[in-house]
Each structure stands twice: as structure tokens, then as C-alpha cells.
Amino acid sequence: MYQELLNLYVDHGFYKEYLISLTKKGIEGANEIKQMMIDLRENPLKEINNQRVICIEDYENSTARNLISGETESLVIPKSNVLIYYLEDGTKICARPSGTEPKIKFYFSVNEPLDSIENFKKVEADLDQKIKNIVAEMQLN
């Protein structure tokens, strides 16, 4: 089964995901989380890990904004306090504060082509480094 999984990575690309959950205590922490989301909405990052941000989906406003063309389109989804940043290399970064706990979660999805099974460990290490770079650049560690 593992061999077949590696074959799928070769056929479709190797994807890796990572989660960071930041707990912020008290009223100050709740305000800090709220401000993080305001900053990500009102002053969006234009580049992350040397990759341009090409689109931002804002589930609270039900919009998807293309940062390259400047166009905005409506999303038909339930409203929630979620932002998803799409980078030009296929990376996705999602920010979502908890509605019940004093925490905010960041979900990362990175990918790269895998040209052969023999290069699996190298590509996996590259993806791990990409995640570390993004986390450091966004000052989430």
C-alpha cells in the first residue's frame, strides 16, 4: 500500500499539511487574535516565502479577491471567520480563530512535484523546510 501511495505522489504531486494552534489567554489574548484577523484582512500579505499571494478567500465577507487582477467574486458559502491565502506555487494558508476557545489555528498545505520515488525523502525535506520558512516569516513560532 505504501508503494502505491508513493506512485500516486509521482502521478499527482506530493502534498503535505501542517497545523499550528496558538492559544492566547485572557481578554488580551482574545483581542490579539481579533487583531491578527483584522490585520490579515485589511493589510493582506502580498508575498510569503518568496511566493506572491494570488488570491484571498474571505469566508466572513463571502468574497474571493484575486490580487493579480484586482477582481473580486462572490463566494456562496456559509459565513465564518476564515481567511485562505493562495500562493502562486499552490501553497494554501488558512487562518481560523476558534469560536469557543482563546485560540487561532493556521492550516498549511504545501506541494511539489515528485519526479521519482527515489526523490521522496528530498522532496519531503523540501516541503518541511517550506513550512518552517512560512511559519517563521509569519512569526507564528
Side-chain angles (χ1 to χ4, degrees):
M1 186 177 275
Y2 179 69
Q3 186 66 35
E4 193 55 37
L5 177 63
L6 293 177
N7 289 331
L8 288 170
Y9 288 154
V10 170
D11 291 344
H12 302 285
F14 183 19
Y15 288 74
K16 191 157 195 174
E17 298 192 349
Y18 186 72
L19 165 69
I20 289 181
S21 181
L22 302 174
T23 300
K24 305 286 185 174
K25 301 279 186 193
I27 295 293
E28 298 84 17
N31 289 334
E32 187 178 343
I33 290 169
K34 187 176 183 178
Q35 189 61 51
M36 288 172 84
M37 291 302 288
I38 289 169
D39 290 343
L40 287 169
R41 264 192 187 90
E42 295 180 0
N43 304 304
L45 301 167
K46 304 282 191 254
E47 187 177 291
I48 303 170
N49 195 38
N50 299 315
Q51 296 292 315
R52 290 185 305 171
V53 176
I54 59 171
C55 181
I56 301 173
E57 289 183 347
D58 186 338
Y59 286 22
E60 188 170 79
N61 297 323
S62 300
T63 59
R65 184 168 33 132
N66 183 314
L67 299 184
I68 306 303
S69 69
E71 295 176 4
T72 299
E73 65 180 67
S74 295
L75 297 174
V76 182
I77 52 170
K79 290 187 182 290
S80 60
N81 193 8
V82 174
L83 286 171
I84 303 175
Y85 279 64
Y86 293 87
L87 280 55
E88 64 187 338
D89 68 352
T91 295
K92 291 191 283 187
I93 302 166
C94 175
R96 182 184 69 81
S98 172
T100 58
E101 300 176 285
K103 63 173 64 173
I104 184 169
K105 293 182 179 181
F106 290 87
Y107 302 85
F108 305 90
S109 176
V110 296
N111 66 84
E112 279 190 28
L114 179 61
D115 60 356
S116 70
I117 292 172
E118 293 75 32
N119 289 331
F120 173 77
K121 291 291 184 191
K122 181 198 177 307
V123 171
E124 183 176 38
D126 290 347
L127 291 175
D128 288 339
Q129 188 60 52
K130 185 185 284 191
I131 291 169
K132 285 180 186 177
N133 292 346
I134 292 168
V135 169
E137 187 172 323
M138 293 181 69
Q139 300 176 3
L140 299 175
N141 45 0

